[in-house]
Amino acid sequence: MLEKARRRQYFESTERTCNQMIIPLASNLRESVTKALDTTSIVNKLRNGCDDKVASWNELKVLAISRSAAIIYSQVMLVVLIRIQFNIMAGHMYKESQKVTDTIKENDEFQTKYMSLCGHFIYEGIKQLCNIIKEKVTEITASISLIDKLSLRDLEQIYWSIVSSVTADDRNPTKNLSKYMLPSECEEKINASLSNIIYETLDLLESEEIQGFMQSNIRSGFVLLMDHISEFFNTKTSNDNGTKNGISIPGTSNHTDILWTDSVTTKISKYSDFVDINKITMPMAKIIPIINGQIPDQSKPRDVSTVWLQRLILNDELKLFGANIYEAFSF
């Protein structure tokens, strides 16, 4: 019983440390995504006036959609990797702690080298992910002009098309997770002990259980994204006293914001509190700033990225998977 309690206490300590580590790493990941899919320079270009406005708007369309999709994918990938790494390492460290040997310094160095491997995904692998997503978005949105009016369902279909296209690609991150997460052949360039633990990590990253988790949670992430976007569609063009009731969205003019008040194509009675947002449409040019505003350069408490990360950290399915890893490696 004492041994079981000690093992559980070690695991709970690992869980707390893991959750604390994910947040700053996710911040670095977010920065990498916003750099790889930089929309700020295009927005500034449009605000300052440019000759090729249509081309710039279309470029912003691709980058904004790509950025939002990349955040959903990459945060799932990061949390999966860190959860696996921490629990493999915790299992090994607990087992080593039961031995009467003076290897604390060696274990610290071993742990540092192993955990630093996640930096490859944050700074290098993420570029590959952003490239494939941008490629798919470019193909899927090529036929959508700036004046085309889209409903929420139309926009949702764009995102599902991106997911389907990425899934069908040989570079699909769900089935090739290790290629994005760890340096190529890294297990062959280090000592035997670290090499073994990396092989174990690769096996878990390529497991069917993780692939299933990735697929289901990527879809959940896009549902969350659409929920946030839908808030900008859920409005009435007028209220009881006849005054305008606009929604402030990030804009590309010299003004800080632009107001959307006249793009609702469905007539809504001013006496009705019900709005069928599925019948509301907006021009693509109005939707682009809304999408771009979902993943601002600097995180905000309720933006999609922040909310999505918290959900992943608290995900019970992934916690259970981590607990099973720890249990397997701690004996």
Side-chain angles (χ1 to χ4, degrees), residues 252-272:
T252 55
S253 68
N254 285 323
H255 300 291
T256 303
D257 297 306
I258 58 177
L259 290 178
W260 168 52
T261 57
D262 57 354
S263 57
V264 179
T265 59
T266 301
K267 292 182 179 179
I268 304 169
S269 171
K270 65 181 180 180
Y271 302 108
S272 172

Side-chain angles (χ1 to χ4, degrees), residues 96-122:
E96 288 296 317
S97 71
Q98 305 308 299
K99 300 177 183 178
V100 187
T101 56
D102 186 19
T103 58
I104 295 177
K105 184 177 180 181
E106 291 180 9
N107 284 342
D108 285 346
E109 292 176 355
F110 180 80
Q111 185 173 354
T112 300
K113 286 181 180 179
Y114 174 60
M115 295 306 300
S116 67
L117 292 173
C118 68
H120 173 78
F121 172 60
I122 294 172

Side-chain angles (χ1 to χ4, degrees), residues 46-202:
L46 287 165
R47 282 177 174 167
N48 295 330
C50 57
D51 296 331
D52 53 346
K53 285 187 177 181
V54 173
S56 294
W57 269 102
N58 279 314
E59 185 178 358
L60 182 59
K61 173 186 68 177
V62 170
L63 289 172
I65 295 174
S66 299
R67 180 192 282 209
S68 60
I71 282 291
I72 299 300
Y73 270 92
S74 63
Q75 287 191 332
V76 176
M77 294 165 72
L78 178 69
V79 174
V80 164
L81 175 63
I82 299 303
R83 191 73 74 187
I84 288 175
Q85 281 190 293
F86 258 88
N87 283 288
I88 287 179
M89 182 56 65
H92 275 284
M93 292 298 101
Y94 179 80
K95 188 161 58 177
E96 288 296 317
S97 71
Q98 305 308 299
K99 300 177 183 178
V100 187
T101 56
D102 186 19
T103 58
I104 295 177
K105 184 177 180 181
E106 291 180 9
N107 284 342
D108 285 346
E109 292 176 355
F110 180 80
Q111 185 173 354
T112 300
K113 286 181 180 179
Y114 174 60
M115 295 306 300
S116 67
L117 292 173
C118 68
H120 173 78
F121 172 60
I122 294 172
Y123 300 109
E124 298 300 329
I126 190 62
K127 295 176 184 176
Q128 301 174 47
L129 179 66
C130 288
N131 285 339
I132 182 176
I133 290 175
K134 183 181 177 183
E135 177 186 314
K136 301 304 181 183
V137 172
T138 301
E139 293 172 359
I140 291 164
T141 63
S143 62
I144 303 173
S145 74
L146 298 173
I147 61 174
D148 285 345
K149 291 184 176 181
L150 278 65
S151 66
L152 271 177
R153 287 180 178 174
D154 295 329
L155 189 57
E156 186 178 46
Q157 187 56 49
I158 290 173
Y159 280 112
W160 292 144
S161 296
I162 294 167
V163 173
S164 296
S165 185
V166 170
T167 301
D169 197 286
D170 291 338
R171 299 164 292 174
N172 176 17
T174 301
K175 292 190 175 181
N176 299 280
L177 200 53
S178 59
K179 293 182 180 179
Y180 292 87
M181 310 306 274
L182 300 174
S184 177
E185 299 179 347
C186 61
E187 69 277 9
E188 299 176 5
K189 302 173 183 177
I190 47 186
N191 64 58
S193 297
L194 190 52
S195 179
N196 288 337
I197 201 173
I198 291 176
Y199 275 121
E200 292 163 348
T201 305
L202 290 171

